[in-house]
Amino acid sequence: MANMTPAELRISVVICAYTEARWDALVEAVASVQRQVLPAHEIIVVIDHNPALLVRAERHISGVKVVANQQARGLSGARNSGIALAQGEIIAFMDEDALADETWLQHLSQGFQDAQVMGVGGAILPLWPEGRPGWFPAEFDWVVGCTYRGMPEETRPVRNLIGCNMAFRREVFSKVGDFRHGIGRIGTLPVGCEETELCIRLRQQKPDSILLYQPEAKVQHRVSPNRATWKYFHSRCYAEGLSKALVSRLVGAGDGLASERSYTLRTLPQGVLNGLAGTLTRRNPDGLRAALAISSGLAVTTFGYIKGSLLSRKTSLQGSLEPANSSF
């Protein structure tokens, strides 16, 4: 497979869905993948424990494989169910409320020219329901599952990829296992980091592996109105702290927090200064609100991490968090 050109690599695209409330978005997401300049070998739509949605998708979405999540409820199980059926040398993942640019797969595939590259991810651009709220800092776009300020602006290796826009060689899952159960989003519960844990586990077991960020591989991610609120912002920050604590327990704090240290010490202070400067020079109150959002977001995330760390010491998690199908 290492000698195959990008155009020769077969790419299976896995899209997971769990609610009929996003039906129109799911249909548009599939259509965007079907319009790719570099066609997907197959599109697999995995329905997460929702029989009504499964029947509807089977009847009304053509040109795809529609399957049910065969594992535990949640995004990890749904992705693993897609992996089990995928036939491509590359398995790409996109959210059901995202839209892929026509060159998405083309740019993802180019990253796999290097045999050491085990995964490639791209830029995720937020689609705000009524425009970006003035107080919502770009440094925290990860709250809505998107690329955030502080990530690279050019192609370069990264610690981990983001779930809405990522692709891996098939061999990754046979060698280091699938996405862990017991971590990651279940329905609307705003937890995550299952892809972060997988990427770190890969690098720990195969240190020569490269995970590449390719910003030209773009998708747009819809932001539902409830996510453009202070309430969701802080709930997602808290959940992120809990998730980071769990990841740190599983892979070690050194790897689990490596990227977060520079983000916290460099990106966030600069964001606060920029917000305050904007308020002073342009008399724009949104700058002050953004600075407050950065400060409060960091505080809530830190609180979630501390609480998660304390809880993990009291609870035995090992049994439910084993990666599936690991050959190690």
Side-chain angles (χ1 to χ4, degrees), residues 212-290:
L212 200 64
Y213 175 66
Q214 166 54 278
E216 293 304 313
K218 299 176 183 177
V219 305
Q220 298 179 78
H221 194 195
R222 301 177 191 272
V223 181
S224 57
N226 69 298
R227 295 186 179 186
T229 64
W230 281 95
K231 180 179 179 180
Y232 183 85
F233 179 84
H234 286 123
S235 69
R236 181 67 183 86
C237 288
Y238 177 70
E240 182 73 5
L242 293 175
S243 300
K244 291 296 185 187
L246 180 53
V247 170
S248 295
R249 172 183 171 138
L250 292 168
V251 302
D255 288 332
L257 298 177
S259 297
E260 286 74 11
R261 291 190 182 94
S262 61
Y263 169 78
T264 301
L265 295 175
R266 298 178 184 177
T267 304
L268 295 188
Q270 186 61 52
V272 170
L273 291 175
N274 290 341
L276 295 176
T279 298
L280 293 173
T281 59
R282 297 189 296 272
R283 300 183 182 278
N284 182 358
D286 282 339
L288 177 59
R289 295 190 185 106

Side-chain angles (χ1 to χ4, degrees), residues 176-200:
V176 306
D178 293 343
F179 294 96
R180 287 186 188 266
H181 293 291
I183 187 172
R185 183 176 289 271
I186 300 176
T188 58
L189 186 65
V191 292
C193 292
E194 70 281 354
E195 64 267 20
T196 300
E197 189 278 333
L198 174 72
C199 291
I200 295 174

